[in-house]
Structure formats: structure tokens, C-alpha cells
Amino acid sequence: MSAPTEPKRYVRPYGDTTGDGMVQASFTLPVPPGPKAEGAALQLAAKMGLEPAMVVHSHGIGTEFTFFVVYGSAKHILDLDEVTVVEREYPLLSPTEVNTEVKKMLRRKLVVVGGCIGTDAHTVGIDAILNIKGFAGEKGLEYYRELRVVNLGAQVTVPELVKRARGEKADAVLVSQVVTQRDAHILNTQEMSAAFREAMGDRCPVLIAGGPRFDPLMAGELGVDRVFGRGTTPGEVASFLIHALKETKVA
């Protein structure tokens, strides 16, 4: 078996041939369907750096809007050395392994309190992680024998969350935010983390924020221990809790 090749540092998108830069983009313009709309779409594609570009699909949406799919060559080159992401620094564990680690290190159940804070009424994210039905073929944290899960649901105020977490002696608090208008997800999470640190100081539980618009690089700015984005599975969260436990974050 040949050794894996080293990844290239400078890359362009791949379409028909390596490095041809070909990409596909879709968008809607508030322009009635017709030749002028297609011309506007091509001009936008050029301003996006796709040149030459072609309209491969257009469809009128009523009489005032047109949906487009354009295909063209991006001139931009990416330097992978400049790409910054949050790498997972802990192994993914099975539910059995998580239960074993909790039992060995705590000799009691790990308490997790979760909910959607502020006016956010979208529970799909927090339910995917906490509820036993889970997500992406994985069982939620309620399935883990050595975890005690308290799901507060939607529209939980920050004071209520802090009070409940203290009452339950939570080891970890998970908050989900889907509503992002005017950066509500950022402001609500910052308010939450500040309230926990003011109320509990060094005894603050592990704070985890999640939602489709969160950037995992924002954990420090938000004042939380971890940020999870779109597609996160219950197993990833459970494994992080074990990692935090081993890092003595959980007392």
C-alpha cells in the first residue's frame, strides 16, 4: 500500500479537471424572469469572481423574482495554512465508554441541564442532543445510564436557567440558539455565561453553546467552554463532557 500523499497547500475548486476552479452557485434576484434577469445574474457571478460563468438554470418565481443556478470558474486560490478551525482534541467514545468513565471518575451521575434561552422557541437542536431519540443514528444523552438529563425546553430565561442549574447541581449546561436576528444568539449566550460566572464563580458548570449559526472559534468571545455547530451528534457532546471531566473542569 502506498503512503498517503501530503495535502497541497494551495488549492482551487475542482469541477471537470483538477484546479479548474469550477463552482456552482444558486441565488434569487428581485428581477422579473427574462433576458435582463439572466444578464444581471451573469454580472453578479462576475462580481463574485466567477468568470467565465454561465446560467445553467433559471426559473421565475411569480412575476417579480427569478431563481438562478450559475456555473463558472473561480479565480481565487486558497492557502490551507491560513485556514483556522477548531479541531476535535478528544476521542469519540461509545455510550458504554462514556458511562464507564463517568462511573469511574465521579462515582455518581453526571448532571446535564439544557434548554433554549431567550425568546427562542426552536427545540429541535437541544432535543436532538438530549432526547433519547437522538440524531444521525445516535441516541441522545438521556440514553446514557450514568447521565442525568434535565431538559428545560424552549424560551428559558437566563435567571431561570442559572437557578435550575444550581438547584440540580449541574455539572454541565447546554444551550441551543437558532434565532440569530440582530445577533441574538451571541448576545443571549454572552449574557448566560456572564450570569453563571457571577452567580457561581469557580463552581461554574461546563458551559456549552450550540446552533447552526455559531462559529466554533467563538467560544472565548461567548464565554463558554465549547461551541458546537450544525450537524453535531450526541456522541460528540458526551465525549467532550468526558474530556472536560478529565481536564478537571467538572468537580
Side-chain angles (χ1 to χ4, degrees):
M1 181 181 294
S2 59
T5 58
E6 288 292 325
K8 295 180 179 179
R9 176 177 174 180
Y10 299 101
V11 297
R12 294 181 67 204
Y14 175 95
D16 300 315
T17 59
T18 302
D20 62 8
M22 299 301 290
V23 299
Q24 180 173 289
S26 61
F27 51 84
T28 299
L29 291 178
V31 182
K36 187 154 190 164
E38 294 205 5
L42 290 175
Q43 187 176 112
L44 176 62
K47 290 179 179 292
M48 294 168 63
L50 305 182
E51 196 172 5
M54 66 182 80
V55 174
V56 296
H57 174 75
S58 66
H59 181 75
I61 304 175
T63 58
E64 300 298 325
F65 298 87
T66 309
F67 173 77
F68 296 97
V69 177
V70 299
Y71 189 60
S73 179
K75 302 303 181 184
H76 308 293
I77 296 177
L78 299 177
D79 183 351
L80 294 183
D81 285 355
E82 296 180 354
V83 177
T84 304
V85 297
V86 175
E87 298 279 2
R88 179 168 50 81
E89 71 277 20
Y90 53 89
L92 287 177
L93 304 176
S94 68
T96 299
E97 291 171 323
V98 169
N99 289 329
T100 299
E101 291 290 344
V102 172
K103 195 170 184 179
K104 179 174 64 176
M105 288 186 283
L106 287 185
R107 301 180 185 276
R108 62 171 173 80
K109 290 191 176 183
L110 181 70
V111 182
V112 179
V113 173
C116 301
I117 57 176
T119 59
D120 202 329
H122 300 79
T123 62
V124 61
I126 198 71
D127 287 345
I129 300 300
L130 298 184
N131 285 2
I132 193 169
K133 64 184 180 182
F135 170 70
E138 295 184 9
K139 299 288 188 181
L141 300 190
E142 289 179 346
Y143 172 77
Y144 291 69
R145 185 182 64 253
E146 298 300 325
L147 271 61
R148 183 166 69 84
V149 175
V150 180
N151 188 347
L152 301 180
Q155 297 184 329
V156 182
T157 67
V158 169
E160 179 185 357
L161 180 65
V162 173
K163 181 179 179 179
R164 189 64 182 273
R166 294 184 71 173
E168 299 287 350
K169 297 182 179 179
D171 298 299
V173 171
L174 279 61
V175 297
S176 173
Q177 288 278 265
V178 175
V179 175
T180 61
Q181 284 89 342
R182 299 183 180 179
D183 289 334
H185 61 309
I186 294 175
L187 299 175
N188 288 339
T189 305
Q190 289 173 329
E191 178 189 354
M192 180 272 298
S193 61
F196 267 103
R197 287 181 168 79
E198 180 180 353
M200 304 183 69
D202 293 339
R203 298 184 63 81
C204 182
V206 175
L207 300 178
I208 299 174
R213 296 290 298 275
F214 277 118
D215 182 348
L217 293 170
M218 295 176 63
E221 176 185 345
L222 297 174
V224 299
D225 298 288
R226 195 75 172 193
V227 171
F228 287 106
R230 184 188 304 273
T232 300
T233 65
E236 291 180 80
V237 176
S239 298
F240 173 73
L241 292 176
I242 296 302
H243 170 73
L245 190 64
K246 290 183 176 180
E247 293 292 312
T248 69
K249 179 66 184 177
V250 177

